[in-house]
């Protein structure tokens, strides 16, 4: 009997969202019993919206009235489909599939998941009933995977970023006695010059003060060793501010930037700038399309700057997920499982763009004072060795 094999490239949670704007489109297209069922759903949904006084709120469970309205709407659409199939692109059909997914996760709700309602931006404070988005977030996938592991003769999970082991054991529903093997990297520490810019804080409150320091760090490294570099930032706003500061400091240094909603042609043009003879710094968002699955071997990429610890944004959704993690795994694990481990995974993936073969050499700057902490250093790959000097040209404060 062959083992079941999964390739786990990243963590994450399955979600099911229902937008009231999608419901509005479906109601416009629907007729007869389907329209009546969707109208009932609209009334039930609006009652939830009117009862909510804040923009975002998480609930212990999906209200029975909402589930009943969704089930009746799904049944009405299913009956209609039996008589006259709908074409792809039909708003009623699109909503139907989303409602089915939502109901499937709702039936499996437990302590591993949460249900929340987000009022549409700009509607708070208005007299008329606001629109909203309903969401079921499967924060911990373990309950859904445990049965799969138990039914398999063996499960083999592999990835370059399955660390720390306990986090993935917990999240993926693996037994406590699961065997764990860490294979030595084919790369050597001498291939990567790893530096920590511990004199810079990229925390939100320190962003303004960090801009000039980061720009000076990048301009200094480029002057010493011209070539192609990537700079990863935590957001598009921060990316623009750092890039603008660098261009004011050194107008002759070539700079190109990832933009929101960049299409395939734009992505290809971005990557084409990284030629063997090219020079300059490309700016990208950490966790985005250019931070993993991109191969730029040899002189196409000789270094990277990671100007963030990669931590997810602190907002009501992530804070509610942290509470779920803490309740499920223990209070001491809530922050690490929600913020620290997923953040450092993105950092390692982004920095991994520099060394893609046993012949590559390059430099990576980890820019934030928190990279000096032992608990953060412990999450970096074993073959990485931080150099003795933190910021170029001055003693490292690590």
């Amino acid at each position: 009997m062959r083992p079941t094999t999964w390739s786990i490239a990243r963590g994450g949670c399955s979600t099911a969202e229902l937008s009231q704007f999608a419901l509005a489109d479906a109601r416009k297209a629907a007729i007869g019993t389907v329209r009546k069922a969707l109208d009932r759903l609209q009334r039930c949904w609006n009652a939830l919206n009117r009862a909510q006084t804040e923009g975002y709120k998480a609930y212990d469970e999906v209200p029975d009235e909402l589930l009943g309205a969704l089930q009746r709407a799904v049944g009405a659409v299913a009956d209609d489909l039996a008589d006259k199939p709908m074409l792809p692109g039909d708003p009623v059909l699109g909503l139907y599939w989303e409602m089915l997914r939502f109901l499937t996760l709702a039936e499996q709700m437990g302590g591993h998941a949460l249900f929340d309602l987000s009022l549409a931006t700009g509607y708070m404070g208005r007299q008329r009933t606001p629109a909203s988005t309903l969401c079921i977030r499967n924060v911990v996938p373990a309950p859904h995977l445990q049965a799969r592991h138990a039914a398999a003769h063996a499960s083999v999970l592999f990835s370059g970023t399955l660390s720390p082991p306990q986090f993935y054991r917990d999240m993926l529903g693996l037994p406590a006695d699961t065997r764990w093997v860490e294979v030595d990297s084919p790369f050597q520490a001498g291939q990567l010059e790893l530096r920590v810019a511990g004199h810079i804080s990229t925390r939100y409150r320190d962003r303004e003060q960090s801009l000039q320091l980061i720009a000076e760090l990048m301009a200094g490294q480029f002057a010493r060793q011209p070539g192609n570099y990537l700079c990863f930032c935590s957001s598009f706003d921060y990316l623009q501010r750092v890039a603008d500061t660098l261009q004011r400091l050194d107008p002759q240094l070539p700079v190109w930037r990832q933009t929101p909603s960049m299409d395939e042609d734009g992505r290809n043009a971005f990557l084409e700038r990284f030629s063997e003879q090219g020079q300059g710094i490309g700016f990208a968002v950490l966790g985005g399309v250019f931070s993993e699955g991109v191969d730029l071997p040899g002189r196409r990429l000789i270094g990277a700057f990671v100007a963030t610890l990669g931590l997810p944004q602190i907002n009501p959704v992530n804070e509610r997920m942290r509470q779920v993690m803490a309740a499920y795994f223990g209070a001491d694990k809530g922050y690490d499982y929600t913020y620290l481990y997923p953040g450092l995974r993105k950092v390692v993936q982004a920095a991994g763009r520099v060394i893609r073969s046993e012949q590559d050499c390059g430099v990576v700057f980890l820019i934030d004072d928190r990279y000096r902490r032992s608990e953060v250093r412990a999450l970096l790959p074993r073959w990485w060795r931080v150099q003795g000097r933190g910021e170029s040209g001055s003693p490292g404060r690590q």
Side-chain angles (χ1 to χ4, degrees):
M1 191 171 181
R2 291 186 177 182
T4 299
T5 304
W6 288 286
S7 176
I8 308 296
R10 59 180 66 83
C13 352
S14 298
T15 63
E17 285 190 347
L18 286 177
S19 166
Q20 206 163 7
F21 295 110
L23 173 59
D25 291 339
R27 289 173 63 219
K28 291 177 183 177
I31 58 174
T33 57
V34 172
R35 174 59 188 263
K36 291 179 181 179
L38 295 182
D39 286 346
R40 285 194 294 268
L41 175 59
Q42 171 79 349
R43 291 192 293 271
C44 179
W45 198 328
N46 279 340
L48 283 176
N49 294 343
R50 287 191 294 269
Q52 184 164 307
T53 58
E54 60 252 69
Y56 170 86
K57 186 176 179 180
Y59 297 81
D60 293 333
E61 58 185 6
V62 184
D64 289 339
E65 295 83 1
L66 176 65
L67 286 177
L70 284 167
Q71 289 164 348
R72 287 190 290 271
V74 165
V77 177
D79 290 343
D80 200 53
L81 282 170
D83 295 331
K84 51 178 188 303
M86 300 176 188
L87 296 175
D90 188 304
V92 176
L93 183 61
L95 180 67
Y96 172 72
W97 292 119
E98 294 301 323
M99 290 190 296
L100 279 177
R101 176 174 172 79
F102 189 93
L103 286 171
T104 297
L105 286 186
E107 292 172 359
Q108 303 168 4
M109 279 283 291
H112 64 282
L114 65 90
F115 165 67
D116 57 39
L117 185 153
S118 301
L119 296 176
T121 304
Y123 278 92
M124 288 300 296
R126 294 188 180 183
Q127 291 185 351
R128 71 188 185 93
T129 304
S132 69
T133 298
L134 307 174
C135 186
I136 294 177
R137 305 177 193 275
N138 182 33
V139 181
V140 182
H144 299 285
L145 297 175
Q146 285 167 341
R148 296 288 300 274
H149 296 313
H153 177 68
S155 298
V156 179
L157 292 80
F158 59 92
S159 174
T161 53
L162 282 177
S163 178
Q166 187 59 49
F167 171 61
Y168 287 95
R169 287 194 187 104
D170 287 348
M171 292 295 287
L172 301 176
L174 297 168
D177 60 350
T178 297
R179 299 292 182 88
W180 192 271
V181 177
E182 185 171 355
V183 180
D184 289 337
S185 170
F187 308 135
Q188 303 298 317
Q191 293 180 248
L192 181 66
E193 181 183 349
L194 183 66
R195 296 184 178 273
V196 170
H199 64 299
I200 301 174
S201 168
T202 64
R203 296 171 181 84
Y204 186 80
R205 66 175 183 270
D206 300 322
R207 293 276 173 85
E208 189 64 35
Q209 293 88 341
S210 72
L211 299 176
Q212 186 69 23
L213 293 172
I214 295 173
E216 291 173 354
L217 178 71
M218 290 193 292
Q221 173 61 28
F222 186 85
R224 285 187 300 274
Q225 190 177 6
N228 291 320
Y229 293 85
L230 267 169
C231 177
F232 294 99
C233 298
S234 55
S235 67
F236 282 106
D237 176 69
Y238 196 33
L239 179 158
Q240 295 291 353
R241 295 169 69 191
V242 174
D244 288 345
T245 305
L246 177 61
Q247 289 199 298
R248 287 194 297 269
L249 177 67
D250 189 349
Q252 304 304 314
L253 199 163
V255 166
W256 55 99
R257 318 177 192 201
Q258 179 185 1
T259 59
S261 304
M262 182 179 274
D263 59 18
E264 185 175 358
D265 289 340
R267 293 194 294 269
N268 291 335
F270 183 93
L271 292 175
E272 286 172 1
R273 297 290 298 270
F274 294 89
S275 65
E276 286 285 342
Q277 292 76 37
Q279 292 187 3
I281 299 177
F283 283 81
V285 171
L286 188 74
V289 65
F290 299 116
S291 62
E292 57 179 302
V294 172
D295 286 316
L296 299 169
R299 295 289 302 177
R300 294 185 65 191
L301 183 68
I302 66 169
F305 306 91
V306 183
T308 173
L309 201 66
L311 304 184
Q313 182 184 29
I314 295 178
N315 57 35
V317 175
N318 286 334
E319 279 297 282
R320 188 67 183 88
M321 291 174 65
R322 180 186 60 79
Q323 293 169 16
V324 171
M325 295 282 198
Y328 205 84
F329 297 118
D332 59 324
K333 296 180 178 179
Y335 176 83
D336 289 348
Y337 279 29
T338 306
Y339 293 103
L340 184 60
Y341 297 160
L344 266 293
R345 180 177 60 235
K346 291 188 292 185
V347 169
V348 171
Q349 288 171 333
R353 299 313 95 206
V354 177
I355 306 298
R356 306 305 299 161
S357 75
E358 296 178 41
Q359 290 73 45
D360 286 347
C361 292
V363 59
V364 169
F365 284 83
L366 302 179
I367 305 174
D368 194 278
D369 60 332
R370 288 167 289 183
Y371 284 113
R372 297 180 296 178
R373 297 178 179 176
S374 59
E375 65 270 24
V376 172
R377 293 281 187 91
L379 298 174
L380 302 179
R382 288 192 309 174
W383 68 276
W384 287 12
R385 297 290 183 270
V386 176
Q387 304 297 309
R389 299 167 71 87
E391 53 176 310
S392 296
S394 63
R397 285 168 278 179
Q398 301 170 29

